[in-house]
Amino acid sequence: MKKILIILAIGFLVAIFMFIKNQKKENLTFSFYHWENSFKEKNIKEKLYIKVLDIAYSTKLEIVKSNLQEKPKDFIPVVYITNETMQNVDFSLVSNAIIQGLKNYEFDELQIDCDWSGSSQSNYFKLLEDLKSKLNKTLSATIRLHQIKYYTKTGVPPVDYGVLMYYNMSNISDFNTKNSILDNDIAKKYHYNFENYKLKLKLALPLYSQAIQFRENKALSIFEGVEEKDFDSNFTKISDNLYKVLNSTYFQGRYVYKDDVFRFEDIDEKELKIALNDFLKLSNNRFDEVIFYTLKYKNKFDLEKLIKGK
């Protein structure tokens, strides 16, 4: 009798867990990043996060504005800032540049994308505080996996919520990298401290594909949007995702040489589901939205089915 009760109790707990898990998925919504330097799409119904400014630094502050020929009724502007900028330029100058760059937009929320480091953390966090104070808008910031695992060193940005960029987690230029876009085995090495991370998170997942060109094991170029069928008779497959050039030729409009090697990187639905389910376990119900990168690949999978688990 005791064994039967234990079995029934375990079954009851499993049923509760599955119900909660399914409820989490049912409540999920999804949206898209648009990361091109221009926006022309009309009649877009999806929720969008559109990059409107690129801010970089070499010898001076450099600002590139995206050309929004069409403006969706509701979208969240995103500002991309290089870490070098926050290492070299006072936060107040960057803040003023952002506010000036946004003056022609109507928005209720702003997102900042910057992979900050220890040397830029203080300046970057001051920038976020300054923007929050001056704009009085909802403010979010992108977060990388290592910034959660080592949050006591990297700090937690002073924003309303974070977006965990669950991709670009491996060294793209390392010839031995399996897939720099998404590698769930690599991701698991960073599944620490989520329970201690106080910031509410959303999840960003990749939809794109690419090929990395290598010559003598050194990375040369990135070719975005490549499909496996693009490796024609001028290539030979030498392993699961490596292709060698047989004859010097043009590839995607660029000249490549004999014996160059391309690593083809793509996303499959199975790996996306693993990433989503892993994050559901880690996020402790502080998670309600998946942002896919990017809009132009929105038809790659049935995304409603993917996130709901139907």
Side-chain angles (χ1 to χ4, degrees):
M1 184 68 179
K2 186 176 180 180
K3 288 184 178 179
I4 294 174
L5 290 174
I6 291 172
I7 292 170
L8 289 173
I10 292 172
F12 179 69
L13 290 173
V14 169
I16 291 175
F17 172 78
M18 292 305 296
F19 174 77
I20 293 172
K21 181 179 177 182
N22 289 333
Q23 282 298 107
K24 285 183 180 180
K25 285 191 172 183
E26 284 299 321
N27 294 331
L28 286 178
T29 61
F30 65 91
S31 52
F32 297 92
Y33 280 112
H34 179 82
W35 217 251
E36 308 295 314
N37 287 329
S38 63
F39 185 85
K40 304 176 182 178
E41 287 79 359
K42 297 181 179 179
N43 302 318
I44 295 293
K45 297 179 180 179
E46 293 84 1
K47 179 181 178 182
L48 296 181
Y49 295 75
I50 301 178
K51 184 192 69 170
V52 296
L53 292 174
D54 282 281
I55 300 181
Y57 176 88
S58 54
T59 58
K60 63 179 182 178
L61 198 60
E62 299 171 351
I63 302 166
V64 177
K65 296 181 181 181
S66 298
N67 179 19
L68 271 63
Q69 298 177 27
E70 296 288 334
K71 291 183 182 179
K73 183 178 180 181
D74 296 305
F75 74 93
I76 297 169
V78 183
V79 176
Y80 171 72
I81 309 172
T82 65
N83 185 46
E84 290 75 17
T85 301
M86 299 315 303
Q87 287 172 328
N88 292 283
V89 183
D90 186 81
F91 76 89
S92 60
L93 295 177
V94 181
S95 180
N96 289 337
I98 292 172
I99 291 170
Q100 284 298 310
L102 294 172
K103 65 181 181 180
N104 292 325
Y105 298 111
E106 293 183 8
F107 60 96
D108 296 318
E109 181 177 333
L110 174 67
Q111 186 173 117
I112 305 296
D113 178 23
C114 178
D115 189 6
W116 78 92
S117 62
S119 59
S120 64
Q121 175 191 321
S122 176
N123 197 37
Y124 177 54
F125 284 13
K126 287 177 183 177
L127 166 69
L128 296 174
E129 290 170 347
D130 195 54
L131 288 171
K132 181 69 176 172
S133 173
K134 290 178 178 176
L135 293 173
N136 194 28
K137 309 282 188 182
T138 298
L139 185 66
S140 62
T142 56
I143 312 290
R144 274 70 182 175
L145 277 166
H146 70 91
Q147 290 161 346
I148 295 180
K149 182 176 181 179
Y150 303 110
Y151 80 96
T152 55
K153 291 183 178 179
T154 63
V156 179
V159 291
D160 296 296
Y161 70 88
V163 179
L164 180 61
M165 315 302 276
Y166 211 84
Y167 53 95
N168 288 345
M169 55 188 62
S170 306
N171 186 351
I172 194 171
S173 60
D174 186 343
F175 185 79
N176 295 313
T177 290
K178 178 183 174 183
N179 187 333
S180 68
I181 300 175
L182 177 62
D183 186 331
N184 283 304
D185 291 331
I186 296 293
K188 283 180 171 64
K189 296 179 180 180
Y190 293 90
H191 288 179
Y192 295 90
N193 288 322
F194 277 79
E195 70 280 6
N196 299 317
Y197 200 73
K198 302 305 180 184
L199 196 61
K200 180 180 178 179
L201 296 171
K202 296 183 180 182
L203 178 66
L205 288 175
L207 294 177
Y208 64 97
S209 61
Q210 63 189 15
I212 317 303
Q213 178 190 8
F214 290 88
R215 187 171 300 154
E216 296 179 353
N217 289 3
K218 293 182 180 180
L220 297 180
S221 300
I222 303 173
F223 293 73
E224 189 194 337
V226 172
E227 298 181 23
E228 194 162 18
K229 66 182 181 181
D230 295 328
F231 296 102
D232 57 19
S233 59
N234 288 303
F235 294 83
T236 184
K237 191 171 185 177
I238 58 176
S239 71
D240 283 347
N241 65 338
L242 294 179
Y243 294 83
K244 180 182 281 190
V245 180
L246 294 174
N247 305 292
S248 297
T249 185
Y250 282 94
F251 181 70
Q252 303 287 297
R254 286 183 260 177
Y255 198 73
V256 299
Y257 288 86
K258 180 183 177 182
D259 294 331
D260 284 355
V261 173
F262 283 74
R263 181 177 68 229
F264 174 59
E265 300 181 343
D266 199 6
I267 299 300
D268 64 42
E269 198 167 1
K270 178 183 176 182
E271 292 300 312
L272 281 179
K273 286 181 179 179
I274 291 172
L276 176 60
N277 288 328
D278 283 349
F279 188 69
L280 279 167
K281 295 174 187 175
L282 292 167
S283 63
N284 194 25
N285 211 24
R286 294 180 292 137
F287 163 52
D288 58 7
E289 184 179 347
V290 181
I291 311 172
F292 288 103
Y293 187 94
T294 66
L295 178 66
K296 66 181 178 180
Y297 302 114
K298 68 176 184 177
N299 296 319
K300 188 168 186 173
F301 305 113
D302 183 336
L303 298 178
E304 181 76 24
K305 181 180 178 181
L306 189 150
I307 69 165
K308 302 293 186 184
K310 295 178 179 178

